[in-house]
Amino acid sequence: MSAVANRHPGRPVLILDSGVGGLTVLREARVLMPDRRFVYVADDAGFPYGDWEEDALRARLVELFGRLIAEHDPLICVIACNTASTLSLEALRAAYPDMLFVGTVPAIKPAAERTHSRLISVLATPGTVRRQYTRDLIEKWAGRCDVHLVGSVRLAALAETYVRGGFVDEASVRAEIAPCFLNEGERRTDIVVLACTHYPFLVNRMRKTAPWPVDWLDPAEAIARRALSILPVPVEDEAVEPKADTAIFTSGHPDPLIRRLMQGFGLAV
Ligand code: DGL
């Protein structure tokens, strides 16, 4: 148990994404850690991360976390974003060695363990697909499989539109996921890794528009479990008055529908 944690029992768990995607992780984290306080950060001024040049995005994240750590003094930082984690986990750990970071990286290992056909697709932002980190995961864990990387330019924005107003352009979802489905003789893709935290919001439409049923692998629960496993255990007699969970937008002005959505997730904006 960390002495630092004991002196600061009210310190929050900070969860960051470029937009609403990290809410899929927050949802699971809340279930596993009902007594924790959460600060949700949407770097909406930087959305979408998928298109950023690598050095610029890494520098942005290191600077942003510096400010967030100073302002909120979190117990732990969960980077609920594959695009950011695959790029900057190492730099963040080096820049803030006293902070615990939990990253979200493509769930290639569990996919390789579960697949029967050994044909897996990884659906992600163009940034995550380009990363050496992603290639290394494939080499390390999925040597026996054929892993097909599919970069989607549009899905994260489609998910943002969906959570704002419930509208989904189904034809676009169908077109974006189509390259994930491969047929090679007797074998066909049986797992699609959702390697962007925005995508689980669209998974029902993905199921509906997929050419055949597959396992859509959403790592949110695993990320929340990982965060729980490394969090210091709170000390009972140091319990503090519960404070509201909050959402922060780097733009400083979320649109009213997003504000409502955050409130629906129990976050004060
Ligand atoms: N939610 C982010 C991820 O997991 C990416 C969305 C974006 O392009 O900003 O990769």
Side-chain angles (χ1 to χ4, degrees):
M1 191 182 309
S2 142
V4 175
N6 292 347
R7 287 201 303 274
H8 302 277
R11 293 169 68 192
V13 173
L14 190 143
I15 299 187
L16 176 135
D17 181 42
S18 57
V20 299
L23 293 172
T24 58
V25 176
L26 174 70
R27 196 159 53 187
E28 301 296 333
R30 280 253 184 76
V31 173
L32 292 175
M33 298 172 255
D35 298 327
R36 294 287 180 187
R37 183 164 71 84
F38 293 91
V39 172
Y40 185 83
V41 181
D43 183 13
D44 57 339
F47 181 86
Y49 279 175
D51 294 345
W52 277 68
E53 192 276 317
E54 295 198 343
D55 289 342
L57 181 57
R58 194 185 295 106
R60 177 187 183 84
L61 288 160
V62 170
E63 190 274 331
L64 176 57
F65 271 102
R67 273 190 286 134
L68 293 168
I69 291 167
E71 264 169 51
H72 302 283
D73 189 25
L75 261 180
I76 183 176
C77 292
V78 180
I79 310 169
C81 175
N82 295 260
T83 316
S85 301
T86 50
L87 178 69
S88 65
L89 257 177
E90 208 178 309
L92 288 167
R93 287 180 176 140
Y96 310 108
D98 295 332
M99 179 51 57
L100 294 167
F101 287 97
V102 174
T104 305
V105 301
I108 288 163
K109 182 172 182 247
E113 285 164 359
R114 283 185 213 176
T115 179
H116 293 292
S117 69
R118 291 183 289 109
L119 264 185
I120 298 167
S121 288
V122 176
L123 183 61
T125 66
T128 300
V129 161
R130 274 196 303 270
R131 304 274 189 261
Q132 187 57 42
Y133 195 114
T134 306
R135 316 264 156 167
D136 291 347
L137 285 176
I138 294 172
E139 202 177 301
K140 186 163 177 199
W141 302 113
R144 291 176 44 254
C145 304
D146 294 315
V147 181
H148 186 54
L149 293 169
V150 178
S152 166
V153 199
R154 301 196 55 205
L155 278 172
L158 287 168
E160 291 268 335
T161 305
Y162 171 63
V163 299
R164 272 185 172 87
F167 171 77
V168 188
D169 174 356
E170 258 179 36
S172 297
V173 172
R174 178 182 288 111
E176 294 295 298
I177 66 169
C180 294
F181 290 82
L182 299 182
N183 242 318
E184 283 181 9
E186 301 280 274
R187 301 156 71 210
R188 62 183 195 178
T189 305
D190 64 353
I191 297 188
V192 176
V193 176
L194 297 176
C196 168
T197 50
H198 279 70
Y199 299 172
F201 283 120
L202 295 175
V203 74
N204 285 334
R205 302 307 167 106
M206 292 177 177
R207 282 194 186 101
K208 186 172 167 195
T209 55
W212 60 79
V214 290
D215 186 356
W216 301 92
L217 225 160
D218 171 7
E221 190 197 336
I223 306 304
R225 277 198 187 283
R226 171 80 189 132
L228 175 65
S229 74
I230 65 171
L231 264 176
V233 180
V235 178
E236 254 175 55
D237 61 359
E238 287 188 341
V240 286
E241 280 300 298
K243 279 205 233 145
D245 293 346
T246 49
I248 290 163
F249 295 83
T250 54
S251 68
H253 46 77
D255 80 36
L257 289 171
I258 289 289
R259 184 183 289 268
R260 281 234 303 278
L261 172 80
M262 294 290 167
Q263 288 162 347
F265 269 79
L267 297 164
V269 185

